[in-house]
Amino acid sequence: MKQTNHQFFDFLDFNTDLSLEEGVSRVWKACKPTAIAQNGLGVVLTVPFQCQLLSNEFAPDKSILRKDFQLYLRAFGDKILRVSIGFEKEIMEVSPMLEIAAELQEIKLSFEIKEEQWEVKDEKGIIRAIFDLSNPEIDHWSDLLTAPEESMQAIFLPDGKKEIKVSAYDQFFPNRMDAMCLSFIERYNEPAKVSISFHAKPDEKFVGTGERFCKMDLAGHTFQLKNQDGQGVNNKRTYKNIPFYLSSEMYGMFLHTSAYCKFSMADFSTRSVQLLVEEPILDIFLIGEENPEKIMFRYKQLTGFPTVPPLWSYGVWMSRMTYFSEDEVNEICDRMRAEDFPCDVIHLDTGWFKTDWLCEWKFNPERFPDPKRFVSRLKDNGYRVSLWQMPYIAADAEQFEEAKANKYMSILDSKKEQGGSNFSNLDYAGTIDFTYPKAVEWYKNLLRELLEMGVVCIKTDFGEEIHLDAKYHNMAPELLNNLYALLYQKAAFEVTKEVAGDGVVWARAGWAGCQRYPIHWGGDAAASWDGMAGSLKGGLHLGLSGFGFWSHDVPGFHGVPNFMNSVVPDDLYVRWTQFGVFTSHIRYHGTSKREPYHYPNISDIVRKWWKLRYALLPYILEQSELTTTTGYPVLRALLLHHPADKMCWHIDDQYYFGDDFLVAPIMNSENTRDVYLPEGIWVNFFTGEIIQGGCWLNNFEAVMEEMPVWVKKGALIPMYPEAVNCTDEMDLQKTISITIDANFKGIWKHLNFI
């Protein structure tokens, strides 16, 4: 970032070298609205915008006439206010991102004109927005500076209580703005970008915005919401950007767009949250509620709820990059059964094709001579098969000519048609065009053939990026890039549910609405303590962005420093296993050996923890049901249960696992960590020790066989009382409940089969 002395220009990416901007870009600022009227069930205001001088300071260019644009207000129920403005562009009423719940009905708004303010009210007479038309109070004693420029002053009350103020006067003096109420950037005389700013309180905290690999409170950060290959979990790049944030002031903001965005969370100005969207439309849903869970619930009412994944998906998944043959897979699966490691899914990554990484959606006929028999044999042994693939087509792929001739894939502007390699969509000739219904059906048919063999899950890898130098049937590439993951995962999910009977994918990328198509995992984490910590941070923020089900590669995807060949330490393998057991889904995957018998010094501990995972499945299923009807994810940031506890807005290395478990993974080789216990009475899950919450446990020690996990006193935990090889052997009617009370002496003593 190149920092100048003009914070708002920096936020807008506006070049203050005016020789580069002359006649190209201008900033227009919103002024006081001049008219208000009924518009269907909503209200519309006429807002004039004043062009600013092309200078290094803000000042109105009075030589250019103001331009009027229409600002629309609509209410969805009594907790959501939609604020929209299209600068000569149509606002989307229907989009893939929205799946508005039937019970979330639009209600009628009206308005009342008062002397110095306009009030927008709902049918109950509750004020939902105020537009202040008064002038700032001035005690004039100096004329050294010009008077404040006219500015739109608005307060939005999505629930009639929570005030969300537009930042009307975030400035040092009138010509030096830190943020601007509502503005747009004009390029070549056409509106191109829109910005809005909301007032931020000094101690206000922010979470969400997708998969953030950083601290819990996002205040003081700026993010570019542009999906990219994250290349790990320890940087600002991310696979899943979600244009939604949640404030500690108990409101949520969803920016309904697929365009590239920028969110400044009280960063460029500590007084303002600033949004910049790279299209001439602003369409936001403001949510006011009593607590974070209810805000998340309202957000999911707008963008959709997930369905509960099938029982088998909660068992252990085994994978590595990659298995190459039927014989290799059978040997691994047979050995895990022989050595009493329960497992449900075997995943074949990039090596099941004729050529590694060359995705053609067909098994190698030499190494997998009879795929249907292969899949059937595994199913008889209690294993289901998951397959890797990607949405990019290589020039030497079998389907290339068909896809090109029928325009099922993007058509590159350049004539260069690349072959396939790995780790980048740009190494491929084109991207499947999911904006084209015929291409969607063609892709589904590729998967249908595999699913009819008995395959149960498709790993919808990649999808964070597309070929931007290409043409797509129904969308500009800049608007498709972020949305692509949703269209891609929807197609795979639908055909899987149709053929296999269970709706499930294993997905990496994400945008608003993708939570409808579980399961998502956290990408290519380093097999290190840093990778483990970054994974958890990303999962917590994703859970605060509407996603209910989430996983990660145990014990990290790639080695450090040798990407493919570094040895995974025993203690990291165990500690990451424990973290995986207390996650909605658990999958082992990486660039080298991941099967537990390759780690003989710890394999007995791993086996014990896998059996604990299967014992916990009734509880996990119970909590999974909740995420389909509430705002809760399975893996929850502490703030969802303790929003009034300021400490919980900062903790990113602990979490609730469902309603009852408090989990604090060990993420070092010292077997100790500091643990924060919120208010309540907690029982150690492994020792039965009871402790009063509202305190820190400093340097808490946990031997390798145990993990810092507490359960709410009095909780009833449904558990499975028998050892199984896989979920096919489970009869959930046998489920028992363990009461966490003074008689509870630790889980190992209650489950004698482990």
Side-chain angles (χ1 to χ4, degrees), residues 411-655:
I411 306 300
L412 299 179
D413 285 341
S414 64
K415 294 183 179 180
K416 184 178 180 182
E417 291 175 350
Q418 298 155 300
S421 61
N422 57 1
F423 293 115
S424 173
N425 69 294
L426 300 180
D427 292 328
Y428 291 83
T431 303
I432 297 175
D433 185 356
F434 288 104
T435 72
Y436 184 37
K438 290 184 178 180
V440 173
E441 192 56 34
W442 175 78
Y443 170 74
K444 285 184 174 182
N445 285 333
L446 293 174
L447 301 188
R448 187 174 280 112
E449 186 173 344
L450 298 167
L451 295 163
E452 287 173 348
M453 291 179 187
V455 172
V456 297
C457 180
I458 300 299
K459 179 177 173 180
T460 47
D461 204 0
F462 292 89
E464 309 90 5
E465 298 173 289
I466 63 173
H467 288 89
L468 293 173
D469 59 340
K471 295 178 182 178
Y472 299 84
H473 279 79
N474 294 306
M475 192 171 290
E478 293 79 12
L479 294 177
L480 177 60
N481 189 88
N482 285 334
L483 188 64
Y484 189 83
L486 178 61
L487 305 180
Y488 170 34
Q489 291 159 25
K490 179 177 186 287
F493 183 94
E494 288 177 346
V495 71
T496 302
K497 185 173 180 62
E498 172 197 332
V499 178
D502 293 320
V504 64
V505 294
W506 193 269
R508 189 172 77 170
W511 190 252
C514 280
Q515 73 273 5
R516 303 195 293 262
Y517 311 112
I519 307 155
H520 292 79
W521 101 97
D524 297 338
S528 67
W529 300 117
D530 295 326
M532 185 177 172
S535 294
L536 177 53
K537 288 179 171 70
L540 290 175
H541 278 293
L542 193 66
L544 292 165
S545 306
F547 286 68
F549 302 100
W550 173 79
S551 188
H552 42 89
D553 289 343
V554 183
F557 172 71
H558 69 89
V560 177
N562 189 305
F563 188 87
M564 301 294 292
N565 304 306
S566 288
V567 175
V568 177
D570 284 353
D571 59 349
L572 178 69
Y573 192 103
V574 170
R575 294 306 190 186
W576 210 317
T577 289
Q578 293 167 345
F579 173 31
V581 165
F582 284 95
T583 308
S584 82
H585 290 79
I586 176 171
R587 185 186 75 154
Y588 288 75
H589 184 62
T591 56
S592 58
K593 297 173 182 177
R594 291 296 184 263
E595 299 78 24
Y597 49 74
H598 289 300
Y599 301 81
N601 294 330
I602 57 168
S603 59
D604 287 343
I605 297 176
V606 173
R607 182 185 298 106
K608 189 175 183 178
W609 274 81
W610 283 19
K611 291 189 174 185
L612 176 61
R613 170 71 182 190
Y614 279 80
L616 285 167
L617 288 189
Y619 173 80
I620 297 171
L621 280 171
E622 177 184 85
Q623 299 303 311
S624 295
E625 291 282 353
L626 285 177
T627 200
T628 67
T629 56
T630 69
Y632 286 124
V634 176
L635 189 145
R636 309 172 186 172
L638 268 58
L639 65 90
L640 280 168
H641 287 275
H642 305 277
D645 186 339
K646 289 187 177 182
M647 185 64 68
C648 292
W649 288 84
H650 297 279
I651 292 178
D652 52 39
D653 60 355
Q654 299 178 209
Y655 58 93

Side-chain angles (χ1 to χ4, degrees), residues 98-170:
L98 295 178
E99 193 174 88
I100 298 177
E103 64 270 20
L104 198 60
Q105 296 291 319
E106 183 177 359
I107 63 174
K108 186 175 182 179
L109 296 176
S110 60
F111 59 89
E112 182 177 353
I113 296 177
K114 296 188 175 180
E115 184 175 350
E116 290 195 318
Q117 70 180 34
W118 297 344
E119 295 177 352
V120 178
K121 301 180 179 180
D122 62 23
E123 51 200 4
K124 296 178 182 177
I126 296 172
I127 297 175
R128 307 292 290 272
I130 299 171
F131 292 86
D132 186 352
L133 307 181
S134 66
N135 294 318
E137 187 176 352
I138 302 293
D139 182 10
H140 188 84
W141 70 275
S142 171
D143 58 2
L144 291 177
L145 292 175
T146 59
E149 184 183 347
E150 184 182 333
S151 182
M152 187 182 82
Q153 301 178 76
I155 302 173
F156 301 118
L157 300 96
D159 61 350
K161 300 174 184 177
K162 175 54 58 185
E163 293 188 353
I164 305 172
K165 296 181 180 180
V166 170
S167 293
Y169 296 104
D170 188 345

Side-chain angles (χ1 to χ4, degrees), residues 25-288:
S25 296
R26 302 292 288 265
V27 177
W28 292 70
K29 178 184 179 183
C31 302
K32 298 176 184 177
T34 57
I36 186 169
Q38 204 70 40
N39 183 68
L41 293 176
V43 167
V44 61
L45 294 96
T46 300
V47 179
F49 285 76
Q50 176 66 64
C51 184
Q52 304 296 295
L53 287 169
L54 191 63
S55 72
N56 278 324
E57 293 189 338
F58 286 102
D61 186 344
K62 298 295 181 65
S63 69
I64 298 177
L65 293 177
R66 291 183 174 188
K67 293 183 178 180
D68 289 344
F69 294 98
Q70 307 305 307
L71 179 72
Y72 298 90
L73 301 183
R74 299 168 65 187
F76 289 82
D78 56 3
K79 304 292 184 180
I80 299 174
L81 185 69
R82 187 175 187 177
V83 182
S84 312
I85 185 167
F87 296 87
E88 302 172 356
K89 296 287 185 179
E90 186 175 349
I91 298 162
M92 288 186 294
E93 286 302 311
V94 177
S95 89
M97 292 166 277
L98 295 178
E99 193 174 88
I100 298 177
E103 64 270 20
L104 198 60
Q105 296 291 319
E106 183 177 359
I107 63 174
K108 186 175 182 179
L109 296 176
S110 60
F111 59 89
E112 182 177 353
I113 296 177
K114 296 188 175 180
E115 184 175 350
E116 290 195 318
Q117 70 180 34
W118 297 344
E119 295 177 352
V120 178
K121 301 180 179 180
D122 62 23
E123 51 200 4
K124 296 178 182 177
I126 296 172
I127 297 175
R128 307 292 290 272
I130 299 171
F131 292 86
D132 186 352
L133 307 181
S134 66
N135 294 318
E137 187 176 352
I138 302 293
D139 182 10
H140 188 84
W141 70 275
S142 171
D143 58 2
L144 291 177
L145 292 175
T146 59
E149 184 183 347
E150 184 182 333
S151 182
M152 187 182 82
Q153 301 178 76
I155 302 173
F156 301 118
L157 300 96
D159 61 350
K161 300 174 184 177
K162 175 54 58 185
E163 293 188 353
I164 305 172
K165 296 181 180 180
V166 170
S167 293
Y169 296 104
D170 188 345
Q171 61 192 49
F172 178 58
F173 55 81
N175 302 127
R176 289 292 177 94
M177 308 289 296
D178 286 351
M180 191 175 281
C181 54
L182 175 63
S183 61
F184 70 89
I185 293 178
E186 184 180 73
R187 289 181 61 83
Y188 299 106
N189 299 316
E190 294 288 337
K193 302 180 182 180
V194 188
S195 175
I196 192 169
S197 304
F198 299 116
H199 178 68
K201 292 186 177 180
D203 191 36
E204 193 168 351
K205 292 163 280 289
F206 306 93
V207 296
T209 78
E211 183 183 46
R212 295 292 162 215
F213 308 123
C214 59
K215 297 294 185 181
M216 180 57 61
D217 178 15
L218 300 180
H221 290 271
T222 296
F223 301 104
Q224 180 187 29
L225 276 69
K226 177 182 180 181
N227 280 0
Q228 297 173 284
D229 186 333
Q231 298 180 5
V233 297
N234 296 103
N235 61 72
K236 279 196 171 185
R237 299 165 65 99
T238 185
Y239 313 91
K240 308 173 192 69
N241 289 280
I242 310 299
F244 169 86
Y245 70 79
L246 189 156
S247 164
S248 61
E249 289 296 304
M250 290 307 114
Y251 80 90
M253 193 291 309
F254 168 47
L255 176 59
H256 177 217
T257 185
S258 64
Y260 301 143
C261 317
K262 183 190 285 189
F263 283 15
S264 171
M265 316 306 294
D267 182 19
F268 279 87
S269 168
T270 62
R271 295 176 289 203
S272 297
V273 177
Q274 300 177 74
L275 315 178
L276 176 68
V277 56
E278 295 188 16
E279 68 171 340
I281 297 172
L282 182 73
D283 187 19
I284 59 177
F285 290 83
L286 297 171
I287 304 168

